[in-house]
Amino acid sequence: MTCAPALANVPEIAPRTLSPFPSRRALQLEQTPMRELEQEFMRGGTPDLDDLVGWEFRGINHMPLNVLPVAQLLGIKKFVKGFYLAEDGHVMGYNRPVGRNALDGRWHVADKRFGFYEVHEVDAASRDNAYLHAVLLNYGRGGNKPLDPTSVLRDYLVQLGDDLYLGKAYAAFG
């Protein structure tokens, strides 16, 4: 069952937020080689779904150097992900666009919400089961429009600390 992401269904409560500036640890992770990030990801713990509800997290995409210019051009180097409890009891989420600026600068977040996803524990018997210790942000179950390119995204999310999470994104084709 999927909750349609119509804005009327997204609670209009002010989400709990973290600092508008990236933490020193987040900036360090952004500079970490991919191989070491993979080790950090494998050591991460499973986030509690209830603890995510009501939060908007600020994040930085870490991409290979050959993809970085495209990410900067598209304005997806920095991002915001929000989490809420849908009327049907599912934990859902959304993305919000962020203005481009220095990585260590303030996030300038737009009001628009897009790229909706359902958040759930990873099911070992499902197709999207790469990391059983993570939770899955499943854009395919977010109620996005059929031709929305975000519908193919699957993000695995682990917790590294009280307010630090690490995600790993994939595209699900076929």
Side-chain angles (χ1 to χ4, degrees):
M1 177 172 274
T2 301
C3 174
L7 288 180
N9 293 340
V10 179
E12 287 300 326
I13 58 170
R16 299 176 290 174
T17 59
L18 301 174
S19 168
F21 297 97
S23 69
R24 183 173 310 185
R25 179 70 174 124
L27 290 170
Q28 287 172 342
L29 285 172
E30 196 278 330
Q31 295 295 314
T32 302
M34 289 290 201
R35 186 178 71 247
E36 291 176 37
L37 276 180
E38 178 68 20
Q39 293 170 353
E40 289 276 352
F41 188 86
M42 295 308 291
R43 284 192 295 264
T46 306
D48 184 313
L49 294 179
D50 293 333
D51 289 345
L52 294 174
V53 171
W55 283 97
E56 275 192 348
F57 292 97
R58 279 85 168 107
I60 302 170
N61 280 314
H62 184 321
M63 301 176 177
L65 290 178
N66 62 339
V67 179
L68 184 57
V70 175
Q72 290 171 328
L73 181 67
L74 293 175
I76 59 172
K77 183 65 178 165
K78 292 167 81 171
F79 62 87
V80 168
K81 288 191 181 306
F83 298 86
Y84 65 96
L85 190 61
E87 292 174 5
D88 65 3
H90 286 92
V91 177
M92 302 295 290
Y94 55 87
N95 290 273
R96 291 177 59 194
V98 176
R100 295 179 215 168
N101 65 351
L103 282 182
D104 60 355
R106 177 183 296 272
W107 270 267
H108 298 284
V109 184
D111 288 333
K112 176 184 174 183
R113 293 177 179 166
F114 71 99
F116 291 84
Y117 47 85
E118 181 182 67
V119 186
H120 54 85
E121 294 179 1
V122 176
D123 178 1
S126 76
R127 181 177 115 185
D128 299 309
N129 66 359
Y131 301 98
L132 298 179
H133 70 294
V135 296
L136 183 65
L137 283 54
N138 188 339
Y139 291 75
R141 291 171 54 181
N144 298 298
K145 294 179 181 175
L147 297 178
D148 184 333
T150 65
S151 294
V152 300
L153 295 177
R154 306 294 184 269
D155 287 350
Y156 293 91
L157 184 69
V158 297
Q159 189 166 5
L160 300 183
D162 288 341
D163 62 357
L164 188 63
Y165 295 83
L166 184 60
K168 193 168 184 182
Y170 289 87
F173 295 107

